[in-house]
Amino acid sequence: MSTALATNTLDGLKDKATMMRIHSVRSTTEAGSGHPTTCASAAEIMTALFFDAMRYDPQDPASEANDVFILSKGHAAPVLYAAWSEVGYIPEDELLNLRRIDSDLEGHPPTTLPFVDVATGSLGQGLSVGVGMAHACRLDGNERRIWVLLGDGEVAEGSVWEAASMAANDGLGNLIATVDVNRLGQSAPTMLQHDMDAYRIRWEAFGWETLVVDGHDLEALIEAYAQARESAGQPTVILAKTYKGRGIPCAEDKDGWHGKPIPKGELADETLEALQAQLTGASFDWTPNLPPAGNGQPAEPRQVAPPPYRPGGPVVATRQAYGAALEALARADSRVVGVDGDVGNSTFTTDIGKADPGRLLQCYIAEQNLVGVAMGLACRGKIPFASSFACFLARGYDFMRLAAISSTNIKLVGTHAGISIGEDGASQMGLEDLAMACAEPNYTVFYPSDATSAWRAIELAAGIDGPVYVRTSRPKTEILYGSGEVFEVGRSKVLRSSADDSVAIIGAGVTLYEALKAADELAAEGIQARVIDLFSVQPIDRETLVAAAVECGGKVITVEDHYAHGGIGSAVLAALAEEHAQVRQLAVRDIARSGKPDELLERFGISARQIAASARDMLA
Ligand SMILES: Cc1ncc(C[n+]2csc(CCOP(=O)(O)OP(=O)(O)O)c2C)c(N)n1
């Protein structure tokens, strides 16, 4: 397909690109910080996308019907704001508020802006989010396209290639990436500089339709994007050869200008004069390429079946209950999607396939992408449950962090938590996952102990608008709660309690069972112990914990199958910070190893025997 643009149209478009450069220089100079050279290389790309390739309503950037644009190279935020200004959404003078405390035009794109679905700026995340969004659009059967702009330095991130593999494997023809190959990174030229052939070979090898263009040639870009829109079933990447700082005479194609604004005064004046001299002043009549009407709302969720477990019934692992609950949720709510990283038969995420095989996405062994895909799905109204062994989610932690910044509605389920997995050994044991999730202030964190509470945790997670982490365990455990038991965010369960309690023991997961055994042991000696199932680690049930501390003479023991920092002991300590309480924290304090679960609980100091010993010691 060939796109012959009338001269005045082409000149008008060129002026748009020049205006985007002018805005980027002005706003960063005014802010005294930012990345004008990063913006300048992308000005024609942004112009071709915003004035030709994308279908969207410039006056309704949050419309569900719009094509989606993800600025993966988030430090180019000023050119994104400039584009939305040039299409008429952001008033021009507002651009000068860039990076101010009272402006949404932050240094990197925030989701407080209606045209930003996900925060970017930690490089290497946008393409994974794009894959998730492309899948969401496919699930909804709509024809929206997802456009992602990456930097060339950025594509050194492994996560980009995790996403690229999945996009090609899944034939996501609705995903179109552009790499702004401007040759320079932050501190040095990029690995491949302007070796466009090397880029082409790599992307082709990953299964993408690949187009190499002069990234400052608007006609070439428009033609390439038109071709990309025709793609039958493969994602397309436009490899745009550009120059960093294009049009800024003092900085064009020069090392040492990354992340530096043009200083106010003579240099900024000269730069703006040079840019203004490039304006043709051509009249430009633009009619936005409006999208077709969006799809209707998803079907109203139906009532989820209650958990099928009963005290005294067969033992069930909490990870199994997660899979069963996920299947039940998926049957009740078409927005629920399962995301697996090739451990779905261990995490039980594959159970969702029994409800609908189309709603189980396979990311293979690529946990950064796993979290990013979930983020993209959530951005488009899905309720994604992404799961792996708790330990492997650590690989996706930076994505979890950006999901927190964006308040993305993702549900992460870590299975095989702690030393209780046993024989597989230390590399398979998640012992820092609670610390990761709880470090993010807006994550809700559940740690269910039995199958009923695990089922309810999954159901609660689906209903929360924001990121949730659920920690589950490998061993099969007894059922503690009947199906009618009500679980709530921020509420724990008191399992043993009497007026004579002299110590409170707080556990969750496998250690709750150890706590119950210890309480039995102590009761036989005439010592009454209160036992609390923490369940909701964040937010925490301060009221119940404070009452327990007060009523148990200030003697509290926490016991957890997690390292000592950032887990349930830390959370309880913080909750009791203003109380007169003596808190003993039993946790895994050394590097773990293989063994039988019971042997390991004993070796690492979190067994029933050690809890009871600790209680006796406190009361002595
Ligand atoms: C994961 C991550 N690592 C490092 C950085 C710091 N950083 C910001 S921009 C940049 C260079 C990016 O180069 P490139 O992708 O080529 O973008 P350009 O500015 O050249 O368009 C670096 C290293 C970051 N933001 N994210």
Side-chain angles (χ1 to χ4, degrees), residues 29 32 59 67 80 142 148 184 295 362-363 403 406 483 504 515 540 547 550:
T29 294
Q59 292 311 315
D67 275 7
L80 177 67
N142 70 37
V148 184
L184 296 169
N295 292 330
Q362 182 54 264
C363 296
S406 309
S483 63
I540 203 162
V550 170

Side-chain angles (χ1 to χ4, degrees), residues 38 73 75 121 123 151-154 157 182 184-186 244 258:
T38 294
K73 52 173 244 174
H75 56 297
L123 295 168
D152 51 348
E154 178 180 8
E157 284 287 0
N182 64 21
L184 296 169
Q186 174 172 319
K244 197 153 172 169
H258 178 89

Side-chain angles (χ1 to χ4, degrees), residues 341-462:
D342 191 24
V343 283
N345 55 340
S346 298
T347 62
F348 289 93
T349 306
T350 43
D351 280 5
I352 195 174
K354 295 182 212 159
D356 179 359
R359 279 187 281 150
L360 172 62
L361 300 184
Q362 182 54 264
C363 296
Y364 299 95
I365 309 162
E367 291 78 11
Q368 298 186 78
N369 191 49
L370 175 92
V371 181
V373 166
M375 289 162 71
L377 287 162
C379 287
R380 299 269 63 83
K382 301 295 171 201
I383 304 176
F385 281 81
S387 182
S388 185
F389 287 22
C391 58
F392 304 135
L393 288 177
R395 298 188 82 119
Y397 189 48
D398 191 43
F399 283 70
M400 288 173 65
R401 187 175 70 82
L402 273 271
I405 291 172
S406 309
S407 281
T408 309
N409 193 28
I410 54 166
K411 318 298 162 193
L412 298 171
V413 181
T415 65
H416 297 71
I419 57 174
S420 59
I421 67 157
E423 291 82 350
D424 271 351
S427 69
Q428 314 299 299
M429 296 169 173
L431 284 160
E432 50 284 277
D433 53 312
L434 288 176
M436 287 193 318
C438 290
E440 303 297 341
N442 56 354
Y443 269 63
T444 301
V445 180
F446 296 128
Y447 188 179
S449 299
D450 81 335
T452 299
S453 53
W455 180 292
R456 292 294 185 197
I458 297 304
E459 202 181 336
L460 282 172

